Amino acid sequence: MKVLVAASKGRTMIDDTASDVRLQAVPPAGGRRTRAGFWLIAAVYTLVMLGGTLPVPLYALWAPEMGFGPFTTTLVFAVYALGTVLALTVFASLSDRAGRRPLLAAAVLAAATSTALFLLADDVGTLLAARFLCGLGTGVFTATATAALGELAGAGHVRRVSTVSTAANMGGLGLGTVVAGLFAQYGADPTRLVFWVYLASLVPALLAVVVTPETVTARQLPALSLRRPAFPDRRAARTEFLRAATAVLAAFAVSGLFSSLVPSFLREQLHVHNVAAVGAEVGLLFIVALIAQVATPERWLSRRWPAPAFLVAGVAVLEAGLWTRSLPTFAAGTLLAGTGIGLAFRRGVGITQRLADPRRRADLLSTYFLFVYTGTIVPTLALGLLDQTVNQDVATLILAVAVVATALAGTVSRPSTAVT
């Protein structure tokens, strides 16, 4: 059967049963430059995500310097997620038309500008601007880099792409808090030295993006507009995608609660004042998520129940650690929740890559990551608001129940197609 497909210079007739979709116009996987480009983008992806969590252990140091309390801390954290949501709804899908490299380069430059603002920050307004711009760069890079990795690897390497992209994402998030904690505890300038080093590292990162092969050859002038979330056309594919997206929304709700809660919990309730230890505890969640993605058997990733099971168990144990003020219990909950986050995220990326239209790959990935960061921002803001009326234990319990309900919602249905 013949179908019409819109191209940049008219309309082209193609055979929808053919395995070669000509409009995709992706360089053939396997070339030396293409293979090098794959790993270069993966490395820069890790670095950009690392920058997203550098500020997390430093809130406790900024608070007395700038005179803000827990609610402002929550707001600063949430502004980052707001920036990512804006990027995903307005900018990220532009790479399907303008090309991957221009958007990746712009995201690196946004990260550099954000880092410069962190270096200059001496008030809450500058801190909010830096965090928001950091979120913009991260949102654009996340969806665009994941699409570029899929195209650089080739159509037959979905598992490889999902493993590498999720490793870059989770690995970067985990390393960011650890690195910032070490610099803050043992460096000469607790709140600035780490940003000087990070800013210097973005220079070779930008060069790496420039030398990577472009994977979108049928480029057009981008049209900037507020986009609606994209979903697969087929009903079965749309249902499968929504299940995976719901699971990752619940997973990153746990991540958002954890990242905004842990620094103050460790300092105020458990009297842990070593910033490196605080950064390591936050980073542990993401490092465990990374290990879970790499070490988990493939048969677990083809099923929907493992990720929600670990998430629910992790949330329950985390809550027990909060109420009993027990660091070992809290750490055990971190291990369980981190495993659930890793499984949900990697499975979701694999499903999204498989279901995405090659011509609009970044579009569907943008929707997927919109679920990710919505999961981060909603409970974080809710925690800040609830904390004004009820104590922290009750606030986190309310949100924990909501997270558990969301995690379980995606499992109440018949088995879906395995990730391939």
Side-chain angles (χ1 to χ4, degrees):
M1 179 179 68
K2 300 290 183 177
V3 295
L4 288 174
V5 178
S8 60
K9 295 182 180 180
R11 301 181 70 85
T12 305
M13 294 289 290
I14 64 170
D15 187 341
D16 70 345
T17 62
S19 60
D20 176 28
V21 181
R22 287 191 284 272
L23 191 59
Q24 187 176 353
V26 177
R32 182 177 299 177
R33 187 166 175 241
T34 302
R35 289 196 300 270
F38 178 88
W39 294 111
L40 284 173
I41 294 301
V44 180
Y45 191 177
T46 304
L47 185 67
V48 170
M49 298 308 297
L50 183 151
T53 52
L54 282 180
V56 172
L58 306 181
Y59 294 142
L61 302 179
W62 280 321
E65 290 180 5
M66 302 180 190
F68 61 81
F71 178 74
T72 302
T73 300
T74 303
L75 183 62
V76 172
F77 180 84
V79 160
Y80 166 77
L82 280 172
T84 61
V85 169
L86 178 62
L88 292 167
T89 54
V90 178
F91 301 110
S93 63
L94 293 180
S95 71
D96 284 334
R97 297 171 61 88
R100 309 298 183 211
R101 280 194 310 191
L103 270 294
L104 292 174
V108 173
L109 291 174
T113 306
S114 167
T115 305
L117 287 176
F118 279 122
L119 288 168
L120 297 172
D122 57 4
D123 56 62
V124 174
T126 306
L127 199 60
L128 288 170
R131 203 67 175 119
F132 180 75
L133 193 56
C134 179
L136 281 177
T138 301
V140 171
F141 202 95
T142 297
T144 308
T146 306
L149 288 173
E151 292 157 355
L152 289 165
H157 298 87
V158 173
R159 287 178 180 172
R160 175 185 173 191
V161 172
S162 63
T163 300
V164 172
S165 60
T166 52
N169 193 300
M170 293 295 178
L173 291 172
L175 287 173
T177 61
V178 174
V179 169
L182 289 172
F183 271 88
Q185 185 65 37
Y186 305 111
D189 191 337
T191 59
R192 287 183 171 83
L193 180 59
V194 68
F195 292 111
W196 281 115
V197 175
Y198 184 67
L199 186 61
S201 71
L202 291 174
V203 176
L206 182 60
L207 294 175
V209 169
V210 170
V211 301
T212 298
E214 176 59 69
T215 57
V216 178
T217 57
R219 284 179 282 178
Q220 307 169 33
L221 289 176
L224 192 63
S225 63
L226 184 65
R227 59 176 288 278
R228 292 186 302 174
F231 296 96
D233 294 330
R234 292 184 298 108
R235 181 176 180 180
R238 186 164 56 250
T239 300
E240 184 180 7
F241 173 79
L242 286 172
R243 288 168 182 159
T246 301
V248 84
L249 186 149
F252 273 77
V254 176
S255 166
L257 282 172
F258 193 89
S259 298
S260 59
L261 172 69
V262 167
S264 62
F265 170 70
L266 292 177
R267 290 176 67 88
E268 296 170 12
Q269 305 295 340
L270 299 180
H271 309 293
V272 178
H273 298 291
N274 185 296
V275 185
V278 173
E281 175 64 22
V282 177
L284 178 63
L285 183 81
F286 300 107
I287 298 301
V288 170
L290 171 59
I291 295 172
Q293 294 167 44
V294 175
T296 299
E298 291 294 336
R299 65 180 182 274
W300 281 28
L301 295 173
S302 66
R303 300 172 182 172
R304 289 197 310 277
W305 65 263
F310 276 105
L311 278 176
V312 171
V315 169
V317 178
L318 282 172
E319 277 298 306
L322 284 173
W323 282 83
T324 61
R325 305 294 188 260
S326 169
L327 183 57
T329 304
F330 196 82
T334 302
L335 297 176
L336 290 169
T339 301
I341 291 170
L343 294 179
F345 187 71
R346 183 185 166 188
R347 185 172 185 273
V349 169
I351 288 173
T352 305
Q353 287 278 11
R354 174 165 55 80
L355 297 178
D357 183 338
R359 297 161 294 174
R360 297 187 295 114
R361 189 181 301 276
D363 217 14
L364 189 60
L365 283 164
S366 295
T367 300
Y368 176 75
F369 285 107
L370 187 60
F371 276 85
V372 169
Y373 289 107
T374 298
T376 300
I377 191 172
V378 171
T380 303
L381 287 174
L383 180 63
L385 293 173
L386 286 171
D387 199 45
Q388 306 299 303
T389 56
V390 296
N391 67 51
Q392 191 177 73
D393 291 339
V394 175
T396 56
L397 180 60
I398 293 171
L399 293 173
V401 171
V403 168
V404 168
T406 304
L408 294 176
T411 66
V412 186
S413 54
R414 60 184 176 82
S416 61
T417 304
V419 177
T420 57

